[in-house]
Amino acid sequence: MISLRARLLFFLVRISGLKNYLLRPGRDEKFVARNHARGPASPVRWLRKHCDIEKTEIEGQPLYRLKPRGNSSPLHIFYLHGGGYAFNIVSLHWYFIKKLIRKTGASVTVPIYPLSPVSKWDSSYAMVMQAFEQAVARHGADNIVVMGDSAGGGFSLGLAQMLRNQAKALPCKLVLLSPYLDQTAADPMQVELEKTDVLISVEGIRRLGSWWMREGEDPAMFPASPLFESVDRLPPMLVFAGSDEVLLSDSLRLKKKGDEIGARIDLKIYDRMQHVWMLLPIPEAKRALNEIVEFLLAPKA
């Protein structure tokens, strides 16, 4: 049964009208422009107090490296934030990273990648690839888990596929949280899921995809839509989705694709949950966090 806190929070999101901001021409561009003007959120107070934080740049884009003081864990999390490839990292992401560090003692890399519509997918991937290679040089690929929420979940899968395609070192595990994997939003199931999703719409997905890609590019192309690229020879994946979110379709199709070739994909679907619910201050998120931590700390296969 859904918790009272989750029910209330989802109700507030529904009546806020956020879902419609990416559907109204003119308003969507202004919404994104305001977000870009504010800039990315900085690490929250707990992280500043308990971690050594290094802020550097790759091609003019910020990159954060966090190491908990007294850290002795070799585990390293490479975290890619969500936001439809268009919106900045927010405090909610940093609070989630805080929880991961407290539970695991891991160090963390957080690339603040270029955002659409100003930048396109190739610029974002180029920066993230450089950031990952730096993380490998520091920590070793066998100690790195790539994790991301929403667009960051899609980015995480796409990065692993790109590394595999280029015969480069792969992370030891992937964690995808409500991953956004398909720019086409063409699955008929999504039309029905849109009725229960309080935040994401089919048209919103397509609008975000059009910003991240260049005019004339196929929305199903790799790596913009990693769902359509092969998932063989990838690290074990832990995937979370909510039963009421439009992007459940992406996770189900990823799982089906993996099952067909014997890929190691563990899909967790939480009943009545919405997009990126695992980052929210609700009881269901605590349960998901425990499952994530168990996966992170389990011996590598």
Side-chain angles (χ1 to χ4, degrees):
M1 180 181 295
I2 184 173
S3 68
L4 180 60
R5 181 175 293 185
R7 191 189 302 273
L8 176 60
L9 189 56
F10 297 157
F11 171 75
L12 292 175
V13 174
R14 182 182 293 278
I15 65 173
S16 72
L18 279 174
K19 186 173 180 177
N20 295 323
Y21 270 97
L22 293 179
L23 295 178
R24 300 179 184 178
R27 176 177 287 187
D28 51 3
E29 289 89 350
K30 291 178 182 178
F31 189 46
V32 171
R34 286 197 299 269
N35 179 269
H36 289 193
R38 285 195 299 269
S42 298
V44 294
R45 182 178 178 183
W46 187 94
L47 292 171
R48 298 194 304 270
K49 183 177 180 181
H50 295 280
C51 296
D52 294 322
I53 301 176
E54 177 188 0
K55 182 181 180 184
T56 184
E57 290 187 353
I58 294 179
E59 298 182 359
Q61 290 295 131
L63 174 75
Y64 287 93
R65 298 187 181 106
L66 301 91
K67 181 179 179 181
R69 297 191 180 108
N71 167 62
S72 60
S73 172
L75 177 65
H76 186 76
I77 299 170
F78 188 88
Y79 194 89
L80 294 165
H81 72 85
Y85 303 108
F87 295 95
N88 276 298
I89 190 170
V90 297
S91 294
L92 196 64
H93 294 112
W94 289 116
Y95 278 113
F96 183 67
I97 291 168
K98 176 199 81 170
K99 294 173 186 176
L100 292 171
I101 291 174
R102 290 185 68 174
K103 290 274 191 178
T104 67
S107 55
V108 183
T109 292
V110 185
I112 309 300
Y113 52 83
L115 299 173
S116 69
V118 177
S119 298
K120 304 303 179 184
W121 64 268
D122 50 352
S123 298
S124 301
Y125 266 98
M127 185 268 178
V128 167
M129 181 68 81
Q130 286 190 53
F132 182 78
E133 290 175 346
Q134 290 182 14
V136 169
R138 287 168 170 256
H139 304 281
D142 286 346
N143 295 316
I144 298 176
V145 175
V146 174
M147 184 186 308
D149 65 280
S150 191
F155 220 147
S156 297
L157 178 60
L159 173 65
Q161 292 165 323
M162 188 175 287
L163 290 165
R164 177 204 59 197
N165 292 352
Q166 297 178 11
K168 294 182 177 179
L170 289 167
C172 67
K173 299 174 184 177
L174 300 177
V175 179
L176 315 181
L177 310 173
S178 291
Y180 169 22
L181 306 173
D182 173 14
Q183 305 294 344
T184 71
D187 186 356
M189 180 185 186
Q190 292 178 303
V191 176
E192 289 302 310
L193 288 169
E194 186 176 34
K195 297 174 184 177
T196 57
D197 195 310
V198 301
L199 185 63
I200 306 295
S201 67
V202 170
E203 182 57 34
I205 292 171
R206 293 172 181 159
R207 185 76 58 88
L208 289 168
S210 71
W211 289 347
W212 206 42
M213 306 180 72
R214 291 181 177 81
E215 187 174 354
E217 288 183 324
D218 182 358
M221 66 178 280
F222 177 75
S225 291
L227 179 64
F228 303 113
E229 179 72 357
S230 65
V231 294
D232 63 311
R233 296 177 290 115
L234 292 178
M237 294 182 224
L238 179 61
V239 183
F240 286 85
S243 69
D244 287 4
E245 63 170 314
V246 168
L247 294 181
L248 170 63
S249 163
D250 290 28
S251 293
L252 288 172
R253 287 181 288 161
L254 174 65
K255 173 64 173 171
K256 182 176 183 293
K257 189 169 186 174
D259 286 348
E260 290 171 353
I261 62 165
R264 294 167 293 177
I265 302 176
D266 184 7
L267 173 59
K268 308 282 188 181
I269 302 173
Y270 276 51
D271 188 45
R272 305 281 301 278
M273 289 295 102
Q274 294 284 340
H275 188 57
V276 296
W277 50 270
M278 61 294 294
L279 273 65
L280 302 176
I282 56 177
E284 293 85 352
K286 292 181 180 179
R287 182 156 58 96
L289 178 63
N290 289 335
E291 291 188 280
I292 293 168
V293 169
E294 182 180 359
F295 179 73
L296 294 180
L297 298 182
K300 288 170 274 191

